[in-house]
Amino acid sequence: MTGQHRIVVLGAGYAGLAAARRLARTARGARITVVDAHESFVERVRLHQQAAGQRISSWDLREALESKKIGFVRAMATDIDTAAKRVVLDVAPALDYDILIYALGSVADAESVPGVAEHAYSVATQEDVHALSAVRGPVAIVGAGATGIELAAELAESHPGTKVLLLGSEEPGAWLSARAQAHIRRTLERLGVEIRSGAKVIEVSPEGPRLADGSLVEAATTVWTTGFRVPALAARAGLAVDSDGRVLTDVTLRSVSHPDIYAAGDAAVIAGPGGRDLRMACATALPTGKHAADAAVARMRGREPAPLRFRYVLQCISLGRRDAVVQAVHADDTPARIVLTGRTGAWVKERIVRSAVWAARP
């Protein structure tokens, strides 16, 4: 391999940094450049803690990457010229590439329901949480998935005098085992969270969410945690994508339409065990980022890469700082029998979060 190989990684989240870290070790002689709009890496899986007023750590991307001889450009990609193999940036010169790893992640879906963009907050990105700097109650959290559950518990524990409502079309943690669901409900209720299941939000107004039955849930602060979308860059550039704009990939995570582009993490459609696409999660981003890097390097060396072999092991949901649910899962992400809760669950969850940062940091 010679220094003529130019590898550009779009995105410095878990997937992009995992790819860059692996490339720095295996793609010797290549010029590796990471592009991201942020100057620092913040643990996305801790943003609910920051929203509740806690301090979370961050680190400088340029310093961390350049210490491993990885270039860093702070900019936003506005276009990919696939014919010229060039990434167009908003505030920096365009970058030419031989291999592109697309790992731009996801953001909150603020477009599918009226009023969300205008009247609701989110905890999907650094900017979202900065906007949610002063929580005023009552707080209505829309979405009883993992993000909504974690945020509701964190706010209720950190601000015991604030009324917190959790609205969801299903029971909190409905995809988990009955034991895990029961513990989540019991803990949220102990923290003072009001749970409203079977609540479909059709609009968000300045006064709060409006439900399908016409009723208004009065709230000073509405936080939207249901649904994510990906940047439109891949679709705009002509890559093969699904209906949500995620890059379609083969078993090695290479784009099915552009063989010099690989995709990983939330912005990619990746087949998993049982014929199910891998879900958007840190647990998906890290291994797929590494595999995309490995596949790219293998082909640069004239070898055919192995297909991605992936299985889920656990799902972890924090319930404040002293409690959590750790659900063992089968390979296809369906719940298994073992469930850890309480302080043991919180200890395991914290170790997993810390290990994720270690796995991403160059």
Side-chain angles (χ1 to χ4, degrees):
M1 191 182 305
T2 71
Q4 296 303 306
H5 286 97
R6 300 158 299 180
I7 307 175
V8 174
V9 180
L10 287 185
Y14 290 102
L17 290 179
R21 173 176 171 153
R22 181 60 64 93
L23 289 167
R25 296 177 178 180
T26 61
R28 295 179 181 177
R31 187 193 316 159
I32 306 162
T33 306
V34 175
V35 179
D36 197 273
H38 301 95
E39 65 181 356
S40 61
F41 174 83
V42 174
E43 297 172 77
R44 188 176 188 181
V45 294
R46 291 193 191 274
L47 287 177
H48 62 283
Q49 294 177 234
Q50 186 175 349
Q54 301 168 29
R55 296 181 65 88
I56 64 174
S57 63
S58 64
W59 36 270
D60 185 87
L61 282 168
R62 185 180 304 280
E63 179 181 335
L65 291 166
E66 293 185 350
S67 70
K68 301 298 182 182
K69 296 181 171 53
I70 302 170
F72 176 68
V73 177
R74 186 185 178 189
M76 180 180 293
T78 58
D79 193 18
I80 303 171
D81 184 340
T82 57
K85 293 188 177 183
R86 181 174 297 128
V87 179
V88 180
L89 306 176
D90 60 348
V91 293
L95 289 173
D96 294 325
Y97 65 85
D98 298 300
I99 294 292
L100 176 67
I101 296 182
Y102 189 95
L104 285 179
S106 61
V107 296
D109 180 7
E111 300 174 357
S112 59
V113 173
V116 173
E118 296 82 5
H119 307 302
Y121 296 93
S122 174
V123 291
T125 67
Q126 299 177 39
E127 292 80 8
D128 294 335
V129 175
H130 289 153
L132 185 60
S133 57
V135 176
R136 295 183 299 115
V139 180
I141 299 170
V142 182
T147 304
I149 293 168
E150 291 192 324
L151 180 62
E154 213 70 56
L155 287 175
E157 185 177 83
S158 299
H159 304 277
T162 300
K163 182 178 180 180
V164 179
L165 303 93
L166 180 62
L167 311 176
S169 57
E170 297 183 302
E171 180 74 8
W175 66 97
L176 302 174
S177 65
R179 180 183 169 195
Q181 291 180 52
H183 184 78
I184 290 170
R185 173 172 276 275
R186 187 164 56 247
T187 303
L188 289 175
E189 290 177 342
R190 174 177 56 78
L191 291 170
V193 176
E194 180 181 333
I195 300 170
R196 299 192 190 180
S197 300
K200 180 176 176 57
V201 175
I202 61 169
E203 180 187 9
V204 177
S205 73
E207 292 75 36
R210 189 171 299 280
L211 306 183
D213 63 8
S215 62
L216 175 70
V217 179
E218 294 187 3
T221 303
T222 300
V223 186
W224 192 261
T225 70
T226 181
F228 293 89
R229 62 180 177 84
V230 300
L233 179 62
R236 194 165 62 241
L239 276 67
V241 298
D242 71 355
S243 59
D244 295 321
R246 298 182 301 160
V247 178
L248 298 175
T249 65
D250 66 13
V251 295
T252 67
L253 305 191
R254 183 164 65 171
S255 163
V256 299
S257 60
H258 292 75
D260 46 13
I261 298 178
Y262 296 77
D266 291 0
V269 180
I270 303 170
R276 301 171 59 170
D277 291 342
L278 300 185
R279 58 183 165 90
M280 294 182 177
C282 174
T284 304
L286 289 167
T288 59
K290 293 176 184 177
H291 190 83
D294 288 343
V297 171
R299 287 197 172 98
M300 287 165 60
R301 290 176 172 163
R303 295 185 286 104
E304 184 60 24
L308 174 70
R309 289 185 173 87
F310 179 90
R311 64 151 295 151
Y312 288 106
V313 178
L314 299 171
Q315 286 196 33
C316 306
I317 300 176
S318 64
L319 299 169
R321 295 298 85 210
R322 295 180 293 277
D323 203 336
V325 161
V326 178
Q327 170 77 68
V329 297
H330 299 293
D332 64 354
D333 212 26
T334 55
R337 184 177 60 85
I338 298 173
V339 179
L340 302 178
T341 60
R343 290 186 179 273
T344 300
W347 186 89
V348 172
K349 161 76 170 177
E350 179 63 23
R351 268 57 194 175
I352 290 173
V353 170
R354 292 184 185 184
S355 68
V357 175
W358 177 86
R361 185 159 188 161

